[in-house]
């Protein structure tokens, strides 16, 4: 019992655990839509593209959330608009904006003076450094995402599996697409605090993919993914504390191991059925 409770004698660990659980739950909920739509690259691109917004926040001396959230939403909507209005493929438009915005963020960071920001913390995450304000903002963003998913779940599922049919029955598929992108941007901004820009992709995709191997219905993918994500986040944080490892990579590593276990289990079931 002491092993489980010892980390929480420190207030920074309590804050880190709250944010980690939020990330572990919210990322797979959106990840279920992302992997079903084949949009894994979108999550990675958004995570990198919010870097300029975060640098602006550091320059202003405010929480990265307050600049990264609007920046993430604008960039997400821009990615969808560029593809629709120019006729180029979605992957191409995402790649262009991803590379350009990330490069802009790195240039801004290299030229900025008077801020003490480690690029490694941005890339790999620093959940142990979240403030009380960050916790409250994360809770608020989580509430917004949950409300959005509740309000648009039917439309999101319909357009995910049959976009043409959804359009025929009167669902505004372009609006639903923008809603998904905006919610995805919010979740990624939350996830960057814990897993960092590079590894937020793992928390977004891997737990949802693990659930995809185990579930039979889409709602089950969301629920199981959230459980796997929360387990990965909590286990990764404990591993970080006791093994002196960076928190983001530890969470991503646990999520990957759970995916590997699920893949082996599914392969075993398929082999037994074939006999």
């Amino acid at each position: 019992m002491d092993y489980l409770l010892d980390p929480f004698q420190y207030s920074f660990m309590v804050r880190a655990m709250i944010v980690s659980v939020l990330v572990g739950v919210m990322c797979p909920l959106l990840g279920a839509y992302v992997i079903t739509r084949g949009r894994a690259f979108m999550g990675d691109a958004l995570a990198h593209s919010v870097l300029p917004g975060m640098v602006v926040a550091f320059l202003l001396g405010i929480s990265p959330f307050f600049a990264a959230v609007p920046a993430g939403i604008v960039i997400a909507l821009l990615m969808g608009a560029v593809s629709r209005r120019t006729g180029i493929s979605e992957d191409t438009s995402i790649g262009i904006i991803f590379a350009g915005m990330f490069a802009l963020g790195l240039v801004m960071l290299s030229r900025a003076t008077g801020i003490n920001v480690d690029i490694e913390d941005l890339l790999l995450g620093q959940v142990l450094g979240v403030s009380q304000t960050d916790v409250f903002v994360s809770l608020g963003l989580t509430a917004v995402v949950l409300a959005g998913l509740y309000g648009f779940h039917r439309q999101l599922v319909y357009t995910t599996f049959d976009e043409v049919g959804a359009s025929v029955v009167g669902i505004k598929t372009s609006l639903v697409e923008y809603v998904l992108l905006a919610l995805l941007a919010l979740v990624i901004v939350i996830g960057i605090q814990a897993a960092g820009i590079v590894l937020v992709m793992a928390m977004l995709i891997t737990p949802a993919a693990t659930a995809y191997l185990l579930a039979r219905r889409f709602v089950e993918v969301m629920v199981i993914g959230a459980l796997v994500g929360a387990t990965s986040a909590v286990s990764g944080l404990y591993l970080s504390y006791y093994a002196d490892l960076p928190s983001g990579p530890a969470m991503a590593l646990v999520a990957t191991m759970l995916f590997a276990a699920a893949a082996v289990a599914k392969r075993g079931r398929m082999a037994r059925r074939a006999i």
Side-chain angles (χ1 to χ4, degrees), residues 11 17 20 25 77 97-98 102 105 144 146 148 155 167 199 261 266:
S11 58
M17 183 62 74
S20 297
V25 171
L77 299 180
I97 296 173
F98 159 31
F102 188 57
V144 172
L146 289 175
Q155 294 92 328
S167 181
L199 296 172
K266 182 171 183 178

Side-chain angles (χ1 to χ4, degrees), residues 80-106:
V82 168
S83 176
R84 292 177 181 274
R85 295 181 181 277
T86 64
I88 63 175
S89 69
E90 187 175 72
D91 282 350
T92 301
S93 65
I94 291 173
I96 292 170
I97 296 173
F98 159 31
M101 295 302 293
F102 188 57
L104 175 61
L106 291 176

Side-chain angles (χ1 to χ4, degrees), residues 37-60:
R37 290 172 175 241
R39 298 284 186 80
F41 182 44
M42 171 69 80
D44 190 31
L46 271 176
H48 286 78
S49 298
V50 299
L51 181 58
M54 298 182 72
V55 174
V56 170
F58 290 128
L59 289 172
L60 296 176

Side-chain angles (χ1 to χ4, degrees), residues 180-262:
L180 177 61
L181 291 175
L183 294 176
L184 183 58
L186 292 177
V187 168
I188 286 173
V189 170
I190 300 173
I192 286 175
Q193 283 283 342
I197 290 174
V198 174
L199 296 172
V200 71
M201 179 72 169
M203 296 305 294
L204 182 70
I205 300 301
T206 309
T210 303
Y212 210 80
L213 296 176
L214 302 174
R216 295 182 178 180
R217 299 171 58 238
F218 184 76
V219 173
E220 292 177 356
V221 174
M222 298 178 71
V223 173
I224 295 174
L227 293 174
V228 172
T231 301
S232 301
V234 173
S235 301
L237 195 59
Y238 273 109
L239 186 62
S240 171
Y241 179 81
Y242 285 107
D244 193 25
L245 299 174
S247 56
M251 295 177 193
L253 182 61
V254 173
T256 302
M257 290 190 294
L258 291 176
F259 173 80

Side-chain angles (χ1 to χ4, degrees), residues 119-128 191-199 246-249:
I119 186 64
E120 184 176 323
D121 289 343
L122 290 176
L123 295 178
L124 301 182
Q126 189 52 271
V127 72
L128 299 181
I192 286 175
Q193 283 283 342
I197 290 174
V198 174
L199 296 172
S247 56

